[in-house]
Amino acid sequence: MARYGMALDYKNCINCKACEVACKEENGVQLGADKHRIWVGVKDVEGLWPNISIASSTFEPSQCQQCENAPCQEVCPTQATHYAKGGIVMVDADKCILCSYCMEACPYDARYVKEDTMTVDKCTFCSDTRLLRGETTTACQATCPTKVRTFGDLDDPNSEISQLLSHRQHFTLKTHLGTKPKLFYMI
Amino acid sequence: MFVLAEKIMKQVERFIPMRHTDIRELFKFEKTPLNILVAFTTFVFLILFVIGATNYFIYGHHAYGVTREHPWGLMIAMYIFFVVSSTGLCIMSAIGHVFEVKVLEPFAKRAIHGALVTLLSGFVVIFLEIGHPFRMMIYNTISPGLTSAIWGMGVLYSLYLIFIVIEFFFLLRHDHKWAKRFGIFGLVVGVAAHSNLGAVFGFLVARPVANGIYYPLYFILSAMVTGCYLIFLMYGFKYKLEFPTEMQKTLVATAKILGLLLAILLFFEIWRMLTAIYGGMEDRAVTALHILKSAPFLVGEILLGIVIPFLVILLSNGKAIKTMVFASLGGMVGIFFMRYDLVHDTQLYPMQTLKLTEYQLPPSFIEYTPSMNEIFIALGAVGIAITLYYIGDKILYLETDPD
């Protein structure tokens, strides 16, 4: 059984936002500033001139962390949010009642309301689009010009992601909450 | 329509004693300035409700001021406001007619009537907040998320509604044996449902300012306070402040209980704030300090909701029951702010702290302003509660019989 995750070489990110566009195009995400499955966070430059820390200016591409212990899944009253094949956290739009509890519970602000179905939507690792067609990459990964993202099976020791994580230091976001994210930021 | 309603009421009268079965009686009331003011305000509120609800049915959640970062707004606050009132009245009623504290028995029936009315008003509000309420009924049943506090709350509140309806039915029939039995069920399930509502917030690991044991306990305590305030308001209005001797004793006893509850509530608030700020844990302490400096908290929750009623009770030894009616009116405003702040403050600290586009500042505290539609529905729900209460008061015998 696969266990999908993503490694992000985030210091390579140039904030071109091609990933955001590709995600919207591939997954039919509506236009609008608050309708996004993925995003790029911008860390401001620290320090005052002339002691400006150039190293502090980084970009942090992010999306649903596909937590192994997902708070959104735990709080869903109708099991609309569930763990699908490969451990991907998915929303069953037929069961979603739009109580917004998952949006309230998600520590990463990774969920939004999809207007056409009026249900909550989130990153699916392209499992209902590209993976379903037999492709092995997500839209954000395929389009990235600096190869920030590596998607793959964490349980396969020979996969590119497992190899990367085995020899690169990495961290996860809000680790202290115990959500066990499957998005790994490589140092 | 009137004829049909009267036929139904005549059928109901076979099971429970009624004061009037003539619908026209509902529109007759003593034309005092206060009564006319309340009737007019209620009528305006009901019209506002129709406007707000219509806009919601046309525009969905776009009619509300909620956002991705602040998905819960005034609707959730009003729902909590009403169901807290319901649980509080149920608990206060149970002290009298279940645990047989004689001095508090006179308001047992009226309090359960109030509990029903406020619960139904709360359900109306939540019906207009949940995106797919009918789907909720189906999938809550056939695909239950057992780890979800909202699922638990839905089930327990449904049971609670059933139990208090039956309890009220037996109370109206003067069947104290069965009323007491269902009163116990109603109380236990009501307390469970209500603390579960606290857990809806307490379970949020992502929100340190809400996460923990505080809310499930605080909800029960503040529910009892709300129940006491509503008892003062219901009887203050009923007797126009000229209380009979028996009722004076009951209200003085209620005031003394309320004094104790308010002291404990103040104690809760102080320790909640101190533990949240102490140690300076980034998101929790900063949020708590922000709350501490806000007017809704200081003026609404603390001054109106706790301190003023507490001082009235403390300085008069609980005997200033006329003043307490006015303090209770302010108290209910304070209680509203408690609910509103609870919902808003939980969402204050941003989950995403980096800026997402150039030319913007990094996210700070999340802002939220209720839309006019939300305000209309919120006021409208108050109108619904007053209307339902008035109808019950008019057609049913809500005073506990002397035996």
Side-chain angles (χ1 to χ4, degrees):
Chain A
M1 183 76 163
R3 192 168 61 94
Y4 292 120
M6 187 176 269
L8 294 105
D9 205 349
Y10 75 103
K11 286 181 184 169
N12 281 354
C13 179
I14 54 171
N15 197 17
C16 66
K17 298 192 190 293
C19 52
E20 291 186 25
V21 177
C23 174
K24 287 213 178 204
E25 178 65 26
E26 181 67 61
N27 298 297
V29 178
Q30 288 166 310
L31 297 178
D34 64 338
K35 310 279 180 225
H36 52 255
R37 286 187 179 185
I38 65 173
W39 61 89
V40 179
V42 181
K43 282 186 181 167
D44 272 331
V45 180
E46 290 168 11
L48 292 172
W49 195 86
N51 300 316
I52 291 172
S53 162
I54 300 170
S56 68
S57 171
T58 55
F59 304 116
E60 190 185 277
S62 198
Q63 60 211 59
C64 166
Q65 306 288 309
Q66 302 290 356
C67 309
E68 280 186 64
N69 183 23
C72 55
Q73 186 273 339
E74 224 168 12
V75 302
C76 181
T78 58
Q79 296 189 52
T81 297
H82 61 282
Y83 297 109
K85 198 178 153 196
I88 300 174
V89 180
M90 297 279 281
V91 180
D92 183 345
D94 290 338
K95 288 184 183 174
C96 177
I97 61 170
L98 194 57
C99 64
S100 312
Y101 198 10
C102 53
M103 294 169 74
E104 189 83 12
C106 174
Y108 307 100
D109 192 16
R111 292 173 160 252
Y112 71 100
V113 179
K114 195 178 176 196
E115 298 289 334
D116 51 354
T117 54
M118 283 309 281
T119 52
V120 175
D121 192 35
K122 60 179 281 301
C123 165
T124 60
F125 271 164
C126 291
S127 61
D128 44 359
T129 49
R130 292 175 67 88
L131 298 194
L132 202 63
R133 294 199 299 266
E135 299 191 49
T136 53
T137 56
T138 60
C140 50
Q141 177 188 2
T143 199
C144 182
T146 52
K147 293 187 179 171
V148 168
R149 291 168 151 90
T150 306
F151 168 76
D153 182 4
L154 295 165
D155 280 350
D156 175 4
N158 298 317
S159 67
E160 194 183 350
I161 186 172
S162 296
Q163 289 293 318
L164 267 175
L165 294 176
S166 68
H167 66 259
R168 292 275 299 271
Q169 274 193 312
H170 52 267
F171 64 91
T172 52
L173 299 183
K174 299 192 181 181
T175 315
H176 64 284
L177 295 179
T179 53
K180 298 185 184 166
K182 291 206 292 288
L183 247 67
F184 303 94
Y185 290 80
M186 294 189 291
I187 300 169
Chain B
M1 204 170 85
F2 277 10
V3 180
L4 179 69
E6 272 171 23
K7 274 185 184 166
I8 293 171
M9 283 170 72
K10 289 237 163 61
Q11 289 299 317
V12 175
E13 201 184 15
R14 289 167 55 189
F15 302 102
I16 47 176
M18 289 175 120
R19 285 167 65 185
H20 299 289
T21 52
D22 185 353
I23 295 287
R24 279 168 289 259
E25 283 295 321
L26 287 179
F27 298 95
K28 293 177 189 164
F29 59 88
E30 202 185 341
K31 303 287 186 294
T32 60
L34 181 64
N35 284 354
I36 292 170
L37 177 71
V38 173
F40 177 73
T41 315
T42 307
F43 182 68
V44 172
F45 281 0
L46 291 178
I47 290 174
L48 293 180
F49 179 81
V50 173
I51 297 170
T54 308
N55 279 333
Y56 172 68
F57 287 129
I58 296 172
Y59 302 108
H61 277 185
H62 289 296
Y64 298 161
V66 290
T67 57
R68 176 182 180 136
E69 294 81 16
H70 200 295
W72 284 352
L74 180 60
M75 293 291 96
I76 295 283
M78 281 312 280
Y79 165 69
I80 298 172
F81 176 77
F82 280 118
V83 296
V84 169
S85 305
S86 177
T87 315
L89 286 167
C90 175
I91 296 172
M92 292 311 293
S93 165
I95 295 175
H97 90 95
V98 175
F99 300 112
E100 294 179 2
V101 178
K102 291 286 172 202
V103 71
L104 298 182
E105 260 192 75
F107 57 66
K109 252 194 240 180
R110 192 171 289 273
I112 285 294
H113 173 57
L116 251 177
V117 160
T118 45
L119 186 64
L120 292 175
S121 308
F123 282 171
V124 169
V125 177
I126 203 71
F127 183 82
L128 296 173
E129 160 62 30
I130 297 284
H132 305 282
F134 296 109
R135 193 183 288 178
M136 174 180 76
M137 289 176 206
I138 297 166
Y139 284 105
N140 259 7
T141 315
I142 64 172
S143 177
L146 299 177
T147 52
S148 169
I150 283 194
W151 181 82
M153 184 189 72
V155 171
L156 289 167
Y157 267 121
S158 305
L159 284 174
Y160 170 67
L161 175 66
I162 294 168
F163 284 134
I164 61 168
V165 165
I166 300 173
E167 178 188 2
F168 191 45
F169 173 77
F170 284 119
L171 274 174
L172 289 172
R173 283 171 66 92
H174 311 299
D175 186 341
H176 294 295
K177 196 171 109 188
W178 282 98
K180 192 173 165 180
R181 283 177 186 171
F182 279 96
I184 293 170
F185 285 132
L187 176 69
V188 171
V189 176
V191 168
H194 199 55
S195 50
N196 214 295
L197 178 56
V200 166
F201 294 87
F203 281 165
L204 292 171
V205 286
R207 318 268 181 179
V209 81
N211 186 218
I213 196 174
Y214 181 77
Y215 280 136
L217 300 178
Y218 160 88
F219 264 46
I220 301 299
L221 177 64
S222 69
M224 290 179 75
V225 170
T226 315
C228 292
Y229 285 155
L230 284 173
I231 284 162
F232 272 106
L233 285 179
M234 288 191 293
Y235 281 97
F237 188 75
K238 178 179 165 56
Y239 291 115
K240 304 286 181 290
L241 301 179
E242 299 303 325
F243 302 108
T245 323
E246 200 62 26
M247 190 44 67
Q248 284 181 19
K249 281 185 198 161
T250 301
L251 290 181
V252 168
T254 309
K256 286 185 176 171
I257 293 174
L258 179 58
L260 174 67
L261 293 171
L262 286 171
I264 301 172
L265 188 57
L266 199 58
F267 187 75
F268 264 49
E269 288 281 6
I270 290 167
W271 281 111
R272 169 199 171 204
M273 278 297 160
L274 285 177
T275 48
I277 293 165
Y278 193 85
M281 182 181 153
E282 173 63 17
D283 36 8
R284 194 171 65 170
V286 172
T287 313
L289 277 171
H290 184 83
I291 297 166
L292 198 58
K293 292 174 197 159
S294 68
F297 176 77
L298 289 174
V299 180
E301 286 191 43
I302 302 298
L303 194 65
L304 287 172
I306 303 177
V307 172
I308 292 176
F310 183 65
L311 286 179
V312 171
I313 295 166
L314 190 70
L315 298 176
S316 70
N317 202 14
K319 292 195 175 70
I321 51 177
K322 288 183 187 175
T323 319
M324 264 316 291
V325 174
F326 296 103
S328 296
L329 197 59
M332 285 309 288
V333 175
I335 294 286
F336 164 76
F337 279 109
M338 281 185 202
R339 309 302 160 230
Y340 181 83
D341 288 353
L342 149 82
V343 173
H344 178 54
D345 294 346
T346 302
Q347 300 167 92
L348 262 176
Y349 196 81
M351 294 290 99
Q352 172 59 262
T353 48
L354 299 179
K355 62 179 185 180
L356 301 186
T357 54
E358 285 299 337
Y359 315 115
Q360 78 167 107
L361 293 168
S364 59
F365 290 118
I366 307 290
E367 286 178 8
Y368 161 75
T369 312
S371 71
M372 286 312 284
N373 287 309
E374 285 173 290
I375 296 169
F376 286 176
I377 294 174
L379 291 174
V382 176
I384 290 174
I386 295 173
T387 310
L388 291 176
Y389 175 77
Y390 170 76
I391 293 172
D393 189 38
K394 198 85 177 171
I395 64 174
L396 299 169
Y397 291 102
L398 293 181
E399 295 320 306
T400 304
D401 33 303
D403 62 339

